[in-house]
Amino acid sequence: MSFLTKKDEENGLSTYYNNKTTVIQEARVFNETPISPRKCRALLTRIVYLLYVGETFNTQEATTLFFGTTKLFQHKDSALRQMVYLAIKELSETAEDVIMVTSSIMKDMQPNSEVIYRPNAIRALCRIIDPSMAQGVERFFKAAIVDKNPSISSAALVSAYHLFPHAKDVVKRWVNEAQEAINAKSYASFFGSSSSGSSYLGWGGSSSSASQGYQPVPSMSYITQYHSLGLLYLIRQQDRMAVTKMIQQLGGGRSGAGTTLKNPMALCMLIRYAAKVMEEDPNVQKQMLDLLEGWLRHKSDMVNLEAARVICELKNVAPQQLTRSIAVLQLFLSSPKSTLKFAATRTLAALAVTHPSSVAACNIDLENLISDPNRSVATYAITTLLKTGNEASVDRLMKQISGFMSEISDEFKVIIVDAIRSLCLKFPAKHESMLAFLSGVLRDEGGYDFKRAVVEAIFDMIKFIGECKEQALSHLCEFIEDCEFTKLSVRVLHLLGAEGPKAPQPTKYIRYIYNRVVLENATVRAAAVSALAKFGLNNIDAKLGKSVNVLLNRCLDDVDDEVRDRAALYLKAYDAPPLIQPYIQEESIYSLSALESKLVSYLSDPETLDQPLDVSDVPKISKEQAAKDSARPSTLETIGMPSTSQAATPPPPSAAETQSNYAQQLSEVPELASYGAVLSSSTKPSPLTERETEYQVSVVKHIFKEHIVFQFNVSNTIPDTVLEQVSVIMQPQTESGLTEDFIIPVPTLTAAVPSVVYVSFTRESPEEYVQASFQCILKFVSKELDPSTGEPEEEGYEDEYQLEDTDLAASDYIVPSYVTFASEWDRLRGGVSVTETFALPAMESLKAACNSVIEILNMQPLGGTEDPQSPTVHTLQMSGFVAGGGGKVLVRCRMTYSKAQGVTLEVGVRAEQQPAADLVISAIGG
């Protein structure tokens, strides 16, 4: 392949040379006689290059190139044959009828073929063959896996790895060969003392050293062990005991010296498998920890780092267990290699979040790295010091940070800002220097993520450090004067609207806010109008209210509809003060996912469109809860943690999101379409079996206006068995007031995919809130799988499995909802009111009583009252509404605790309807 000069590239020759059309036209060189190896190699290289850079060939083009390439099998040039296999492997995914070249590839897989051909042939065959043909080539793969040549063995192992998802049963039979490959002592390498005349760059020759002068030398990389280990784990990954045994056999004992693994990458892989086993089974943690500590003394830096990192990332690791790992990482901090310093500082930075006192032993070494020429190393060093340092060192560290902030990328700036954000909360007395630093970097150049991190750090200081609030708000006012990011301007304006009216001098913020109305885009202007209104309508000062009224009147002439509408709404609130509470001072908002579900249900039912939308049964949540639901994870939690075990996991769905998901799922069941909207669903599935049993079942209860549907989530954990005609038989233990309608069974249940059984009941009296207990039996037909075909046997046997009882309780009818308790309690004073006293002698604390009451009633605890502040006296406040028109209900639980009598509970209930109050009392009394 010729190389283009810079002048040729400027003339456009590079584009022409690597053009798909040109390559297809030049494919005629494959048909020339005699074949020119040099031209064909060059063209094949260009084809592979185009595929690697993302160029696509359609099916016809790929098929033409594929079969043109196969004509080159007749030529014996070693390098050409290798390029042929590389091109075949890449084109096989698009071309048609590729299986026709199987016989040609099989010839090059024979043990007496050219050694250099066999690895390429094995890799290509893996892509060509149909999974059903895997059994036919099993003999060749088994022989290749145990071949003395590492290149052949590795090619077979990697190919088996790729074949496994499509032919699991066949590849599982190769486990003995993979085990033999991992235990091999030494290997032959392609590099020898002489080369044949037909070889390329001194490679090649026959497998017969006598005829071709091929002289193998031992390979010291032992890379085959890495590939063997990967295949062994893939085969055994579902068997935790087998994986544990494999790790212990290959681990080399407590010191690690007896291991048969010579390849550092294989040892690193084994360490990761050990970490996964420890995470899944805490019972083997001590054994695995002994192995990990043995690997800390390995001669390879890579293995030392991996073992230290895994130990540092263990859940609930004790400080004394970290001693050796930290000592190893401390040694790497003084290494001349930047990669080792970077890896060590990164690991210590992550560990310092949970164990700052343990990492503090490395502070002297970390301070030496602040001036390291590698800015990434310096960033992690100073980030770690910010987490481990004491209050006296804060000022010195802040000066050192200021020195190199301009020299690092935005990604590392975000890491430092988040570290300072944590430090602010740790040492509130040092807020002045840290706020000065944050306001300074806020004026520097930077991207959105960096500026957002700084703004959020200042937000946290305002929230948690009262002394700096006024100064921080002033810095944010200056920031929005020249802010290029609309999202940040809107967030700052919202904060000014919330915090500004509470400041000692609220008027000084008005100028900054009104400037946004004059100078910014429509989105920012609308946010500024809302912020202005909060200053005018919060009854701070009558004079200020009049001034804001004048400014809002000016906004009525804005060119944007949203700005004008907001101004008109807030001016209306001036004339009608009752509007101020719901639109300006309201502390709760509708749950957006529940509101969305309600709107979708409303629009999808034509009969309801004649009636106005009723949002009385849409639950509300506090603004704090809404902020938590939408909050992004801190950068400290997602950056600097390379292990998959520590990867950021998405937060669990909120209760409202769960309700919305269930409603969507039920709407797709035709038998339930006539039931209407779901009024309430269980917040989480209730297990009816133990986790270790062969069949796992959990239940979710759905309340409709006239029906109740039980959703049973069923999983089969036996891999070689299929369950058919799966259903759940429910038998009420007493007269329940429910009539069974039908059961929707699962036709087929395999081990891979869980499924759902639905059981529907009609409520004989929809206005009553029936509470009942049911016996449940899982019934099915069990069939075993044929190991050769993977199909279930024709005949099976009927079986049943006893499940735990399930209850229909008060909590299934109540939906938690946020309110402002004091005002709502007063509003319901004229409604239904019930008070009862209960003795709870079994309760050992007020906290246990609170948890029990919240669980029984499934109501929203308010104002942090779920956490008692006194061990003897407490008041728990809760709110919710009863699904199906039962109305709003509030509960006030006054409780006292003594060791002699346990907890004495006085329950006060105020509700809009009598049945709702009776439901609450009966739930606690029952």
Side-chain angles (χ1 to χ4, degrees), residues 393-408:
S393 63
V394 170
D395 293 330
R396 176 169 51 83
L397 287 172
M398 299 304 293
K399 289 178 182 177
Q400 289 176 305
I401 293 172
S402 304
F404 70 88
M405 279 293 282
S406 59
E407 302 173 20
I408 58 177

Side-chain angles (χ1 to χ4, degrees), residues 729-786:
I729 307 301
M730 299 183 67
Q731 183 64 42
Q733 296 182 358
T734 58
E735 183 62 33
S736 62
L738 300 174
T739 305
E740 185 175 311
D741 300 322
F742 53 79
I743 301 173
I744 305 178
V746 177
T748 304
L749 182 66
T750 63
V753 184
S755 195
V756 175
V757 174
Y758 292 102
V759 182
S760 173
F761 289 86
T762 295
R763 300 168 67 181
E764 295 174 3
S765 302
E767 68 280 359
E768 295 181 3
Y769 304 107
V770 176
Q771 301 182 56
S773 182
F774 297 84
Q775 290 181 338
C776 302
I777 299 175
L778 181 69
K779 297 194 71 173
F780 52 85
V781 175
S782 180
K783 294 184 179 181
E784 293 188 359
L785 291 175
D786 188 333

Side-chain angles (χ1 to χ4, degrees), residues 112 116 220 251 264 550 623 867 903:
N112 59 353
I116 202 168
M220 301 308 293
V550 172
K623 291 184 177 180
D867 295 315
V903 174

Side-chain angles (χ1 to χ4, degrees), residues 233 235-248 273 276-284 288 691-692:
Y233 179 77
I235 293 171
R236 296 172 175 173
Q237 61 183 343
Q238 301 301 331
D239 187 348
R240 190 188 303 162
M241 293 298 294
V243 173
T244 304
K245 186 177 179 182
M246 179 184 74
I247 294 169
Q248 291 172 339
Y273 295 155
K276 192 169 184 181
V277 168
M278 282 193 291
E279 187 177 350
E280 294 173 353
D281 186 5
N283 295 325
V284 299
M288 294 294 145
R691 290 186 61 184
E692 295 78 14

Side-chain angles (χ1 to χ4, degrees), residues 94-115:
T94 314
E96 294 179 335
D97 303 323
V98 295
I99 206 167
M100 293 172 62
V101 300
T102 304
S103 58
S104 300
I105 297 176
M106 295 281 283
K107 289 179 183 177
D108 283 349
M109 282 187 62
Q110 304 297 329
N112 59 353
S113 67
E114 291 269 351
V115 174

